[in-house]
Amino acid sequence: MNRQTDTEFTPKIVGFLCNWCTYAAADLAGTSRLKIPSTFSVIRVMCSSRIDHNLLLTTFFKGADGILVAGCHPGDCHYGEGNYYARRRFALLKKVMEVLDIDAERLQLSWISAAEGHRYAEVVGKFTEKIRELGPNPIKGSTRF
Amino acid sequence: MRAKVGVYICECGPNIAEKVDIDGIIAGLSEFDGFGETELVVKKYGFLCSKSGREFLEEEIRNLGLTHLVIGACSPRDHDSTFKGVCGRTDLNPYLYRIINIREHCSWVIDDVEKATEKAESYLRGGIARVLRQSELFENPIDVNPDVLVIGGGVAGMQAALSLAAEDRRVSIVERSDRLGGRALELSGLSSGTFRGSDIAAGQVESVMGNPYIDVFLNTGVSSVIGFLGNFVIELLSDEDGATTEISSGAIIAATGCAVYDPSLSGSYNYSDRDDVYNPLEISRMLSSEGGVALRSGGRPENIALVHCAGRDELNYCSGICCGVMMKTALLLKESIPGVDITEFYRDICVPPHEGRQLYESVLEAGVDLVRVESAGLSGTTVSFREKSGVEDQRSFDMVVTAPALIPSPDTADIALLLGIPLDDTGFFQEAHRMTDPSGTTTDGVFIAGTSQGPRGILDSMRFARASAGLILTRLIIGEKLVPEVAVSEILEAYCTGCGNCLEVCVYGAIYSDGSKGVSVVNEAICRGCGNCFGSCPSGALRTKHFTNTQLYREVDEALR
Ligand SMILES: Cc1cc2nc3c(=O)[nH]c(=O)nc-3n(C[C@H](O)[C@H](O)[C@H](O)COP(=O)(O)OP(=O)(O)OC[C@H]3O[C@@H](n4cnc5c(N)ncnc54)[C@H](O)[C@@H]3O)c2cc1C
Ligand code: SF4
Ligand code: SF4
Ligand code: FES
């Protein structure tokens, strides 16, 4: 189920943003009228620690070309330590991704505080560029594990 | 029953309408056949958050018999509660509604109308798909106890109690020692000028003792704490007779103070009990005693060294108040012993902006010899030091005063364990959030104040105490009920193997193990719904009620369509 690569590739990117920091940064990017690629879709969760392996892998299998998980800076998680757990789970998942032949670069974890609207726009812009270079996600639509 | 979802798109004046083709979306959604049997009602409105907008929505919900509601508008951070309130005035459960942000995340960040429209439609499809997977949740307001327990009767604890009592709250102060006042009362010898810490503390003790709203338990500690915000049950243990007393409160303020570093523990301070080496508390005692400041041999010291920063390298932090204390000590010693020579060995001068500057100038004026060093050590009353310039030297004195760092008191860790709150990496109570919630803790209903949360002076200790009292006054209102978070997690008993992984990750201690059934259980009154436990469960037993995988997958599907 590979997509055509001769026409221009429009990446589909999902961003799981924590409610307290990065979602607020995304709001601030909006209030500041910064530009966000329309290929980026925000899904709000309460904390980055809610994001588990299943959700991420399934999102890749469903066809996301890239996934950004973003939450509060270390030490600033609204729930104390959630983002530390997220970081630990991430390190593990990156290894699983290699085995499954998903380029580990398709998954990015970033810390973006509520005040960092500009950084949010920058991170999303750069990540989108990176995914554009990587091309379509090769495992889209393959049977779920 | 066939679902009937009302989808209302807000124009937000030109904010959304100008960048998003709302009529196009209405047509698109009406044609979309991905929702099976579900009936969709899709309409637009000028300003949904306005009074008329809210009334319009209420009528629509009632007249059309909507089973679910999706609002395409601004950020949930702006108006989620507004539309939840709309549902609350109808029969529609507020958890069967969802606000979709097509302004901040769409019309304001995407210039191209076609693309912004496509994006808004995709977000709305995700919202509809998700809301169909949401379930009703019921808020369960509980009665709260507005009384407060304060642990520790120093300036912080007493200030908190007085601020609360001024608003008619009943407060119990539990104090482990045999008197109120804490450390500040020991500083009477060092108190000077218009701001006299010991006078402030003495005044507070008098007000507390005479206050009908405040009960004081002296020689008493806390032996157990159970419950949560609004409903704590605390067992007090008397050190005198071992008797226990049970009290209840809605909130707890921990203000157990700190301890003072013992410089002889540092490798570079070598002295014994026989040497004339003292800390400022001992100097304070001498200054307020009849005999004044004297050497162990009985005579008056002719020269005194004040050596800053004991413990700073070992502990790896600066207590921030010692420089001021040392300069004040220098002035008082000069005053009390005519003709005494004083040398202060300091590393940096760290003082509060205004008073600090004045203090520094007075010290210079009084003829104190200030020597800036990189490091300094003691061998008895001989100070060895290396100056900033690199020059090393040593000088002998009659007497030495050290500036020991403030460190966590031995009780801090025990109290933290009882209250279920974490310690920071220096061993003091850790605040919920350094910037946004410096008086709260990870346990809702437990607040901290004073030097138990880190080194600080008397005024700052009192400021934090007032902050904690203020938070309690706004959270626990007499006669009002409290609505605990209902979008929490639950454990499906049938799937749980009792492995206990989830217990380990929950920072709130909201999960306990039910030994008789061999499973873990979420205490919904404590759970905040962060979802951290979800990823730790190997058995699929955990469910974050308002952020289930199914709900999130539906959003993902529409984002990727
Ligand atoms: C040498 C020295 C000099 C100082 N000089 C100055 C100064 O010049 N200016 C200034 O502003 N600040 C100064 N300070 C700091 C000042 O003392 C503190 O900021 C202030 O006293 C802190 O008040 P607190 O209520 O937090 O703690 P404390 O005054 O220590 O009170 C804590 C109370 O809690 C009680 N307690 C402890 N554990 C328990 C328990 N488990 N159960 C029940 N009760 C318990 C203790 O007995 C104590 O009464 C100095 C401190 C020191 C050590
Ligand atoms: S959702 Fe968060 S607060 Fe609730 S039980 Fe799980 S980890 Fe604890
Ligand atoms: S992690 Fe899952 S299986 Fe293990 S105790 Fe918690 S809920 Fe039960
Ligand atoms: S709340 Fe933002 S990462 Fe936990």
Side-chain angles (χ1 to χ4, degrees), chain B residues 248-435:
Chain B
S248 49
S249 79
I252 299 173
I253 298 177
T256 47
C258 66
V260 177
Y261 181 74
D262 176 0
S264 67
L265 293 177
S266 149
S268 43
Y269 283 62
N270 299 303
Y271 62 92
S272 74
D273 289 351
R274 273 163 289 132
D275 294 313
D276 280 298
V277 177
Y278 304 98
N279 72 26
L281 287 173
E282 292 162 322
I283 297 295
S284 169
R285 243 167 268 146
M286 287 195 228
L287 281 166
S288 53
S289 73
E290 256 175 48
V293 177
L295 296 169
R296 294 191 202 276
S297 61
R300 295 268 174 237
E302 282 173 18
N303 46 56
I304 306 178
L306 270 58
V307 186
H308 287 222
C309 299
R312 181 167 136 179
D313 292 336
E314 290 78 3
L315 301 164
N316 214 3
Y317 61 81
C318 158
S319 297
I321 66 162
C322 330
C323 286
V325 174
M326 290 301 256
M327 289 195 275
K328 221 160 37 164
T329 308
L331 290 176
L332 290 166
L333 287 171
K334 273 265 180 205
E335 225 171 79
S336 112
I337 314 168
V340 69
D341 280 328
I342 294 188
T343 310
E344 247 184 283
F345 296 94
Y346 71 98
R347 286 163 57 170
D348 316 290
I349 294 283
C350 175
V351 288
H354 188 62
E355 319 93 88
R357 182 81 218 165
Q358 282 174 347
L359 199 55
Y360 180 69
E361 272 156 20
S362 317
V363 166
L364 287 180
E365 241 167 68
V368 172
D369 188 13
L370 284 168
V371 182
R372 184 162 194 195
V373 297
E374 212 142 67
S375 59
L378 289 186
S379 174
T381 50
T382 301
V383 183
S384 328
F385 55 96
R386 189 171 55 209
E387 290 193 47
K388 272 276 163 191
S389 59
V391 176
E392 296 193 19
D393 201 354
Q394 59 180 51
R395 269 150 80 179
S396 293
F397 295 86
D398 292 344
M399 180 185 272
V400 171
V401 183
T402 60
L406 303 188
I407 57 169
S409 81
D411 283 21
T412 311
D414 300 340
I415 295 285
L417 201 64
L418 273 177
L419 298 174
I421 61 176
L423 300 175
D424 65 17
D425 34 352
T426 53
F428 291 98
F429 292 144
Q430 184 172 358
E431 49 276 85
H433 195 286
R434 228 178 324 131
M435 285 176 282

Side-chain angles (χ1 to χ4, degrees), chain A residues 18-21 46-49 71-72 76-79 82-83 111:
Chain A
C18 99
N19 182 60
W20 305 97
C21 287
M46 294 316 279
C47 176
S48 62
S49 68
C72 317
D76 281 352
C77 170
H78 185 74
Y79 305 99
N83 45 13
W111 309 132

Side-chain angles (χ1 to χ4, degrees), chain A residues 12 23-24 26-27 30 33-36 38 40-42 44 49-50 52 55 58 62 76 79 85 89, chain B residues 75-77 101 105 108-109 111 119 123 433-434 507-508 530 532 534 544 547 549 553 557 560-561:
Chain A
K12 289 198 162 147
Y23 191 89
D27 279 359
R33 306 299 198 276
L34 305 178
K35 293 304 148 227
I36 302 294
S38 67
F40 186 79
S41 301
V42 173
R44 183 171 65 101
S49 68
R50 166 61 182 80
D52 69 315
L55 183 60
T58 308
K62 283 177 182 286
D76 281 352
Y79 305 99
Y85 285 96
R89 288 183 190 135
Chain B
S75 171
R77 291 157 40 83
N101 188 347
H105 296 183
W108 279 353
V109 291
D111 271 339
K119 183 92 232 165
Y123 275 143
H433 195 286
R434 228 178 324 131
V507 296
Y508 302 104
C530 66
N532 190 13
F534 183 89
T544 40
F547 288 86
N549 264 0
Y553 287 154
D557 284 342
L560 298 177
R561 191 179 288 277

Side-chain angles (χ1 to χ4, degrees), chain B residues 78-100:
Chain B
D78 285 337
H79 280 301
D80 191 36
S81 54
T82 308
F83 300 115
K84 256 194 184 153
V86 166
C87 299
R89 281 185 290 278
T90 70
D91 288 338
L92 184 63
N93 186 287
Y95 293 85
L96 297 181
Y97 129 86
R98 190 89 185 153
I99 184 169
I100 302 301

Side-chain angles (χ1 to χ4, degrees), chain A residues 24-97:
Chain A
D27 279 359
L28 181 58
T31 330
S32 321
R33 306 299 198 276
L34 305 178
K35 293 304 148 227
I36 302 294
S38 67
T39 46
F40 186 79
S41 301
V42 173
I43 296 182
R44 183 171 65 101
V45 289
M46 294 316 279
C47 176
S48 62
S49 68
R50 166 61 182 80
I51 308 302
D52 69 315
H53 296 173
N54 244 315
L55 183 60
L56 293 173
L57 290 176
T58 308
T59 302
F60 277 124
F61 283 114
K62 283 177 182 286
D65 299 305
I67 304 179
L68 175 74
V69 176
C72 317
H73 286 270
D76 281 352
C77 170
H78 185 74
Y79 305 99
E81 301 169 3
N83 45 13
Y84 292 115
Y85 285 96
R87 183 161 65 188
R88 245 171 277 159
R89 288 183 190 135
F90 248 69
L92 259 174
L93 183 64
K94 290 248 176 187
K95 297 212 173 85
V96 178
M97 286 173 66

